[in-house]
Structure formats: C-alpha cells, structure tokens
Amino acid sequence: MTVLPDDGLSLAAEFSDATREQWQRLVAGVLRKSGKDVEGAAAEDALATTLEDGLRVRPLYTAHDAAPEPGFPGFAPFVRSARAEGNTLGGWDVRQRHTTVDGGAVLADLENGVTSLWLVAGEAGLPVSSLGQALDGVYLDLAPVVLDAGRDVEEAARELLRLYEERGVAPEAARGNLGADPLGFEARTGRTYDFPVVAGLARRCAEEYPGLRALTVDALPYHEAGGSAAQELGCSLATGVAYLRALTEAGLSVEQACGQLEFRYAATADQFLTIAKLRAARRLWARVAEVCGGPGAQVQHVVTSPVMMTRRDPWVNMLRTTVATLAAGVAGADAVTVLPFDHALGLPDAFARRIARNTSTILIEESHLSRVIDPAGGSWYVERLTDELAHAGWEFFRDIEREGGQAAALRSGTVRERLAETWAARSAKLAKRREPVTGVSEFPHLGEKPVVREPAPEPPTGGLPRVRRDDAYEALRARSDAHLAATGSRPRIYLATLGPAAAHTARATFAANLFQAGGIEPVSEGTFEESGASEACLCSSDELYAEQAEARAQELTAAGATQVSLAGRPGQYAGVGSYVFAGCDAIAVLSATLDRMGVS
C-alpha cells in the first residue's frame, strides 16, 4: 500500500507500486510487434546483452538483484574505495606518460595540472642516463615519479635514487614507483630478468623510502593482447600473488611485500564494465591479502585503453578517453593516465598533451566527479556487475594457479591461447560491426587529412601480441591508400539506386558507409559509365528489388560492371553476385571486393 506524505507534496503517491511482472507484460507487448512471441521472464531475457566472460547484462535491475554488501569506503573488501575519503581530497593523481627526453613537455604538464610523472626508460623509451635531463627543473619532493624501464629497472632505479640524494630530497619525501615488473616484461617480450634484483629494490624501499614502491603489477599486456576484463583481473591477481611469494621468500614481511605493489589496469569506453572491473579488482585483492595476512587496500593506476585508440579520425579518441577517464574516476582509481588522442600515431604534440591532462582537470574541477566518494555505490546494476565480474576474474585466477602460477601459464602458452580465443570472438563482432568503431567501421571519412606525428620509440615485442580494434579495417584502408598513391584515385563502387529517395536512401547510406570503411569510394551521381567504378551495388527496398533488380543488374553488367552487389538480405536475383547487409562479415566482403578490383 502506498503511503501518502503528511506534507501534501505527493509525487505519484496516488499510484500503486509497479511490479516486475507488469513491466514484463509491457515488454512482451512491444516484442510481439517485432515478431517475438515471448512472455514473462523470457521477454525480459530477450532484451539481455551477453558480454565477454559469460556475463549477461539484463535490461532491468531492482532491489531483488542486489549484490552482496560491498562494505564501507576505506574498509575491506574496499569495493567502494581504498580510502575512507575516496578521491574527495583533491581528486585522483593525474599521471602523464613520457617516452622521450623533453623537459619542456614535462614541466608544461606539471605546471598545468599533472601531479605525477610516468617515465618509460630503457630500450622502449628515453635513455636511463638522461633521467636527470628529463627531470630537470622538477621538484622531486612534490612530483612523484613512476618508472617503466623493463629489464633496465636496476639501472633506472639507481639513477632515480641518485637524483633524490643529489637534489636533497629526504627519503620520506620520495614518492612513486620504481616500476619493477618481471612477469609483465616477460609477457611483453618473452624474456626474463632476475627477481633477486627486484627483491633488493623492494627491501631498500621498505626500509629507507616509505613513500616509494618497487613493483608494478601491470595488467596492460593482457588487455593489449585482446584479453577480457575477467582475464585482465585474473592475470593481475596471479602476478600479484607470485610477487608476494617471491618477496616473502626473500625475507620481507607480508605487510612489507603488500606495500611494495601498485596495480595498473586499462579503462575503456565501456564505462560500466570499467567501473565494475576496478571495483572488483579491489575486492579480489582484499581477499588475497586477507588469506595472506597482509593489508588489503589495492593501489590502482589506471590507463585509458590503447586497444580502443584509432589511427583514422583520431579526434574521436578524445571522446573515448573522456568516457574511460570518467569511469576510472567513478570507480575510485588512485591515479589516472589519459593517453593523448594521437597516441597511436607517434609522439603526441603539445595540443594532444594539453587535451589529455585537461580531461582529468575538467572531470575533477568542473564536473565535480571527485566530490562523491563512490558515485556508483548503490546502483543495483553496477553492484551486480561488480559481483559477477569478481567471480569470473577469480575463476580465471584459479585456472592460472592450477597451471602452476602466472610464470608457468605464460611459458606454457595457456595465457596466450585463452587471450587469443577471446580476441578471436571479439574480432568477429568487429568484423560484423556488432561492435562499431566510430570513424573506422562506422562513419568513415575517406577525404580526411591524415594526422602525422613524429615516430615514437618502438615498444618491446616478442611476447604477447598487441592488438587494436581498428586493425582489420586499418589494413583495408592501407590498401586503398596505396592504390590512391599509385593511381591518383581510390577504388570506386557505383551505387545504383532504384525508385524514389524514400525507397533507397536507407540502404544507399548503409552501403556507402560500409564500402568507405574499406577505403572504397561510393559514387551515386551520373551513370555507371561516368562513375569510374568497376563494380556496382543496387540500393532500394525489397519491393522494388522484386520488380527491378534483375533487369538493372543486367544493364549494369552490359555497361561493364564486373560484379553487381545488392544491399539487402541474400535472395535469388539473376545477375547479382553478392549481398551486403547489417550483420554481414564486413571485413570479408571488403577484402574480397578490393581483391576483385585489383587493389593489392
């Protein structure tokens, strides 16, 4: 029974509470109009979305879907935040990445909102000997430094500690991370380096530099190899456990060992999945720490996903990184790195770095995202997704442990195989445009002026692959670019529209969008002979296809078209050689079309 308020300010109080069954009946009515005759829970299930890792997102969440109690911010299991105050005291740490010796860029970042530095050194970045030059003018007692030096970690750490001493930075004022990550390096390169060196650095940090950590548990190699959210979580847990074992065997206490780890995760434009992943990561690590008898608050460094960054129409990357950063902030990340929108093209310019750092600044200062400790807390959807993802990540972690741990699973090929399976399934969705990529597979712009940047240092290779969502389409566009350079024009296809605009506009727009994704220029003006195309595609309604498709296909073939396609579901039309439709394998269709056109 609905209770009316005493103050007379009723808001729908005169209506009885709606039930889930009523909502399901309304859903069933709508689905029936689209040809799906389902009732009750089946109607609701018809609207569910299947994610990776066997997760399913339902269209409606209520109090009946509530997940286990997540606890309070700053207390185990730390789902709601690793700190009781969350990010309300100044926002998250804005951490920017640098791979070259450019002191001007470093100082510009620090003067305009960046609060810590991530320096890639060694074979994949700036020379270790130039750390001092890169940090020239930087107040090292104010700006934490995080290193990423691969197998050169000992040399880089020694150089950074020397700079601290040389510049009079007190040991208790030194903050950041030396970046040792032997298993992450092995995942990247297939090579190893000795852990005793890492243990020595950890012992020195624990004893002399209370604000400095020695190890990074980097999950980006698994994300960049095409892994799912649960696989990223499982690999990070297995790596963290391996480091705890090695550090305690080297003589550190469990508390000291836990205090030497910082975890690095990817944030994608799938904001809710990212929020759930980071919350689940804290919960899972709290469970590991509880079993080991150490402190369970996980320190998180979150990086906007390199996998989602595109090389074509890179300006859209600003939108992707903004959503990813919002998700990281909502999830309570300790530090966030926003990759510049031109990251996939080479070294970022000053404008790209400015946009990257301002992304965090706007979310913190203008959107006030950090004023709430746990903005996602209490959302039945997010809480349930966090719980389900935590269980999926835990299962993958157990699979790795059954293999003998992260090192064994890497060396046996198990991790590579599992990640490859996930990426293959996702690649199929990308090829069919079930996972659209704006500016690449959807709404491509063939006439855009390429964005050119200076080459960045080559990242290490030899281990797990690095993938991007635009890889398959980029290969097609590269073929088109080469054809343009060689002949002065792109491969073309003539869109032969039938009937009035109302009949053909939708499919003509679809076909133009599809062919441009492969670098094929659609032409709809004039006749086929005037178009300069070698193939044609019929575009109209099913009714007009039945009346005119075969005759028009014969006309086009007689005019010289080597292939006539049709925008619509496959049918039996004489003279039509192929069909393009929503859900078709766009990569296969476009690749075959370029092959027929002689575009190598």
Side-chain angles (χ1 to χ4, degrees), residues 393-417:
W394 189 259
E395 283 306 308
F396 193 72
F397 162 62
R398 293 179 64 190
D399 289 345
I400 293 174
E401 287 297 289
R402 280 190 285 266
E403 283 277 326
Q406 182 69 4
L410 278 173
R411 293 162 193 170
S412 70
T414 297
V415 170
R416 177 186 290 269
E417 291 170 6

Side-chain angles (χ1 to χ4, degrees), residues 41-109:
E44 182 175 345
D45 193 57
L47 298 181
T49 302
T50 301
L51 306 178
E52 293 173 331
D53 306 310
L55 305 180
R56 281 178 66 78
V57 175
R58 296 193 292 274
L60 177 67
Y61 288 83
T62 69
H64 298 291
D65 302 300
E69 174 57 45
F72 295 100
F75 295 88
F78 303 102
V79 172
R80 305 198 62 192
S81 180
R83 302 180 302 279
E85 72 278 8
N87 283 325
T88 58
L89 302 180
W92 53 85
D93 174 11
V94 180
R95 181 175 298 172
Q96 284 308 95
R97 182 175 182 269
H98 291 266
T99 60
T100 60
V101 183
D102 188 346
V106 168
L107 291 177
D109 277 349

Side-chain angles (χ1 to χ4, degrees), residues 125-216:
L126 57 92
V128 171
S129 59
S130 66
L131 275 177
Q133 183 181 350
L135 295 171
D136 187 30
V138 175
Y139 294 101
L140 296 179
D141 53 343
L142 300 178
V145 175
V146 173
L147 297 178
D148 184 357
R151 68 190 312 166
D152 297 318
V153 60
E154 183 180 22
E155 181 186 357
R158 185 167 57 246
E159 177 64 12
L160 180 61
L161 296 179
R162 185 191 67 78
L163 289 173
Y164 283 142
E165 183 177 356
E166 180 182 277
R167 299 185 186 181
V169 178
E172 59 272 13
R175 290 172 296 134
N177 194 311
L178 301 181
D181 186 16
L183 291 176
F185 179 77
E186 184 172 350
R188 290 280 196 205
T189 66
R191 293 176 281 153
T192 62
Y193 60 84
D194 294 335
F195 196 86
V197 170
V198 177
L201 293 174
R203 186 180 299 106
R204 185 173 181 186
C205 287
E207 295 174 354
E208 302 178 29
Y209 298 90
L212 199 59
R213 297 172 187 268
L215 288 91
T216 297

Side-chain angles (χ1 to χ4, degrees), residues 493-499 504 508 511 523-526 528 535-540 545 552-553 556 564-567:
I493 189 164
Y494 180 68
L495 302 185
T497 56
L498 307 179
H504 64 65
V523 181
S524 57
E525 300 295 328
F528 174 78
E535 295 192 8
C537 181
L538 299 175
C539 304
S540 191
Y545 284 153
R552 187 70 173 113
L556 291 165
V564 177
S565 302
L566 183 145

